[in-house]
Amino acid sequence: FIQVTAFSNSAKVVLDVAKGTYAEEYAKANGVDYTVRSFVYVSVANGTCGANAEWNFYENGELVISGSGAMTNFASHSAQPWANFRHLIKKVVIGKDITTVGNYAFAYCQNIEAIEFEDGSALESIGVLSFFNCPKVVSVVLPETVTSIGAYGMGDCFALESVYVPQ
């Protein structure tokens, strides 16, 4: 909360506010000059998921895989490092230098609505049961570099309507 008089007699002040936040609304409503920056979500959990791969889970429901090389091949969906909050994941972003999505990586993440691969992706393979039972995913555009999709890689994705498959 920002008091109406918080910036009284500060005629030169320009607030640097995040887009769509209370601070932006305050500046508009009270005639305070402001600039808008992109909203940055806070990471609420993170760790490693491969020799050179790491993950960050953000408060907006995004799980971002970054780093390079292959992700870990997990023995089951309960071995995912994000298993305890997989029901909160809404979007998965795979970094451009990740080469393999590991087995069971996102299996049973039943609230994923979007799977995104960064521009310039080096992804080569999607492991066994990688995106198994992600029933809210409607469309996926696989990177041009993908050469293999493992058994049930996108099985039981009941809403899936279109998948761009590279040559």
Side-chain angles (χ1 to χ4, degrees), residues 119-156:
D119 288 344
S121 176
L123 190 71
E124 297 169 4
S125 64
I126 294 174
V128 172
L129 294 142
S130 290
F131 293 99
F132 183 78
N133 200 323
C134 294
K136 293 184 178 181
V137 175
V138 174
S139 177
V140 177
V141 176
L142 296 174
E144 291 296 332
T145 50
V146 171
T147 58
S148 79
I149 301 171
Y152 303 102
M154 293 187 169
D156 285 5

Side-chain angles (χ1 to χ4, degrees), residues 17-66:
V17 301
K19 183 172 180 61
T21 62
Y22 170 79
E24 181 180 17
E25 292 304 314
Y26 166 85
K28 285 179 188 176
N30 294 286
V32 178
D33 287 339
Y34 67 97
T35 59
V36 178
R37 66 180 184 276
S38 296
F39 189 86
V40 178
Y41 289 98
V42 174
S43 174
V44 294
N46 59 69
T48 60
C49 58
N52 296 306
E54 57 251 1
W55 61 273
N56 269 290
F57 179 64
Y58 294 90
E59 62 188 346
N60 67 339
E62 269 190 30
L63 178 63
V64 177
I65 309 299
S66 59

Side-chain angles (χ1 to χ4, degrees), residues 81-101:
W82 42 83
N84 289 337
F85 53 87
R86 82 171 134 253
H87 63 286
L88 300 174
I89 301 169
K90 295 178 184 173
K91 179 179 181 179
V92 172
V93 178
I94 307 292
K96 67 182 185 71
D97 294 321
I98 298 298
T99 57
T100 301
V101 174

